[in-house]
Amino acid sequence: MKKVLITGAAGFLGSHLSDRFIKEGFHVIGMDNYITGDSKNIKHLMDNPNFEFIEHDVTEFIKIEGELDYILHFASPASPIDYLKIPIQTLKVGSLGTHNLLGLAKAKKARILIASTSEVYGDPLVHPQTEDYYGNVNTIGPRGVYDEAKRFQESITMAYHRFHGLETRIVRIFNTYGPRMRLNDGRVIPAFMGQALRGEDLTVFGNGSQTRSFCYVDDQVEGIYNLLFSNYSYPVNIGNPHEITIKDFAEEIIKLTGTNQKIIYKELPTDDPLQRQPDITLAKKLLNWTPKVERAEGMEKTFNYFKQLSAEELNKSEHKDFSKHIKN
């Protein structure tokens, strides 16, 4: 039985990846320090003999007993609210954490896939974004802690590939959604759905003309899985190229939820990208991959997940306490 280590396993994407690899017959070692993850995301796996869990911060030395075939590094805050509250931890998990995991992969002779992001493109001047575009990123802006952590992550991964001959894979993830997203984490889908369920007006930042492209989690996981077992070491965009403005998307959510909320407008945050759309030509060619879940279907599944939350969960203004992870 092949063995895979998945960091960030208690997070949104990490938990779905854990499900997929167990389904495919792997032994999964999940690792998370719960800084943004949640134990309920992997509760259903805890009694599975092919799943083991290690509570650990990947920025500290990592020790895994025995053989290890694959590593998927998905530990990182992934929402603007999170990485603005824990900027140093965000930088450390992308730098020190990645360094530790690359060292582990080298020692175990394991193949490693690292989770990068569309944020490496910043506020893009090229549209849609192709993998050979270098980006337009403000290194010292408030969002720079996430963007630069991921850009460094890509750089050190390629250095290990070139210098040590390590088998590496890099996925650039575009906006992904689905069940197990954290409500009120600052991303637009849980924000809109939470507001609709609470009877609040939907908040759009700027004039709503900025665009996003949303990929359902099952499609994202399929793309990542295919990339891991490909022979390609450079970054690959995995996302859904069907672009929509945030204003139009807010109207879709109002229609989906059957609510009568208004749309209210607030100032656009610093360095918030105005356009986001992946060019997936490379993924189609290399991986024979394209997203299959239409937005209407995926949003309905996601809304059904949020509808099942308790009133207490739905009405919490803060869903994470980072105090124990912050060193003053």
Side-chain angles (χ1 to χ4, degrees):
M1 182 177 285
K2 295 289 186 181
K3 189 179 288 187
V4 57
L5 169 66
I6 300 176
T7 71
F12 163 51
L13 256 179
S15 65
H16 284 281
L17 284 163
S18 297
D19 288 343
R20 175 62 185 269
F21 277 84
I22 286 174
K23 181 182 176 182
E24 298 289 346
F26 287 79
H27 182 87
V28 174
I29 303 170
M31 182 173 287
D32 208 299
N33 68 343
Y34 294 126
I35 188 168
T36 59
D38 196 314
S39 59
K40 72 178 183 181
N41 289 337
I42 51 173
K43 185 179 179 181
H44 64 288
L45 295 176
M46 288 303 193
D47 293 329
N48 191 310
N50 293 329
F51 182 78
E52 60 180 294
F53 182 75
I54 301 171
E55 186 174 347
H56 183 72
D57 181 348
V58 297
T59 66
E60 306 290 340
F61 178 76
I62 302 167
K63 184 177 181 181
I64 300 291
E65 299 291 346
E67 294 183 358
L68 190 61
D69 299 287
Y70 303 101
I71 298 171
L72 280 77
H73 181 25
F74 279 72
S76 177
S79 80
I81 286 179
D82 288 350
Y83 50 74
L84 294 180
K85 287 183 177 179
I86 44 173
I88 295 168
Q89 290 80 0
T90 301
L91 284 161
K92 286 175 69 176
V93 75
S95 54
L96 301 178
T98 304
H99 190 202
N100 286 338
L101 288 156
L102 288 165
L104 179 65
K106 179 173 174 284
K108 299 289 187 180
K109 297 181 171 58
R111 180 180 299 179
I112 183 170
L113 181 149
I114 65 115
S116 188
T117 171
S118 59
E119 295 298 329
V120 300
Y121 300 120
D123 188 8
L125 304 177
V126 170
H127 193 75
Q129 292 81 60
T130 56
E131 288 87 351
D132 57 2
Y133 175 53
Y134 296 150
N136 177 41
V137 178
N138 178 2
T139 62
I140 59 171
R143 296 173 67 102
V145 296
Y146 183 66
D147 303 353
E148 291 305 312
K150 292 298 188 179
R151 287 161 71 94
F152 174 84
Q153 187 179 53
E154 290 192 7
S155 295
I156 193 171
T157 297
M158 289 308 301
Y160 265 75
H161 170 71
R162 294 187 179 108
F163 189 79
H164 293 298
L166 194 65
E167 282 203 56
T168 58
R169 306 290 183 266
I170 300 172
V171 57
R172 286 181 180 161
I173 297 168
F174 282 69
N175 295 74
T176 304
Y177 70 97
R180 300 180 199 160
M181 292 191 87
R182 208 174 83 230
L183 196 66
N184 292 352
D185 75 350
R187 285 180 279 192
V188 65
I189 291 171
F192 280 175
M193 290 189 176
Q195 287 174 330
L197 285 166
R198 290 189 297 267
E200 301 168 359
D201 293 331
L202 271 57
T203 304
V204 167
F205 294 97
N207 63 10
S209 64
Q210 68 269 37
T211 68
R212 295 295 182 267
S213 307
F214 301 112
C215 183
Y216 189 65
V217 63
D218 290 355
D219 286 332
Q220 185 66 239
V221 166
E222 181 72 16
I224 292 165
Y225 188 85
N226 291 354
L227 177 59
L228 178 67
F229 296 107
S230 74
N231 294 313
Y232 192 75
S233 298
Y234 292 90
V236 178
N237 291 337
I238 300 291
N240 192 317
H242 293 155
E243 187 181 23
I244 186 171
T245 69
I246 294 300
K247 181 179 183 297
D248 288 345
F249 182 59
E251 290 171 352
E252 276 192 8
I253 294 297
I254 290 171
K255 184 177 179 181
L256 168 68
T257 58
T259 53
N260 295 312
Q261 274 66 44
K262 300 193 302 290
I263 298 173
I264 59 174
Y265 296 87
K266 293 189 177 180
E267 187 177 350
L268 192 70
T270 303
D271 299 328
D272 193 55
L274 296 180
Q275 290 182 305
R276 182 70 81 230
Q277 183 189 22
D279 183 312
I280 60 169
T281 304
L282 187 59
K284 288 178 180 178
K285 179 182 176 182
L286 281 175
L287 313 176
N288 193 29
W289 176 89
T290 55
K292 293 181 170 56
V293 179
E294 296 290 339
R295 190 169 61 244
E297 178 189 353
M299 290 299 167
E300 185 175 2
K301 290 179 178 179
T302 306
F303 183 58
N304 287 338
Y305 168 78
F306 284 122
K307 281 198 298 187
Q308 295 171 7
L309 296 178
S310 67
E312 181 184 1
E313 290 175 300
L314 188 62
N315 289 290
K316 279 183 182 176
S317 58
E318 292 287 344
H319 283 249
K320 272 293 172 182
D321 177 7
F322 296 122
S323 58
K324 72 176 184 178
H325 299 280
I326 296 173
K327 298 175 182 177
N328 293 319

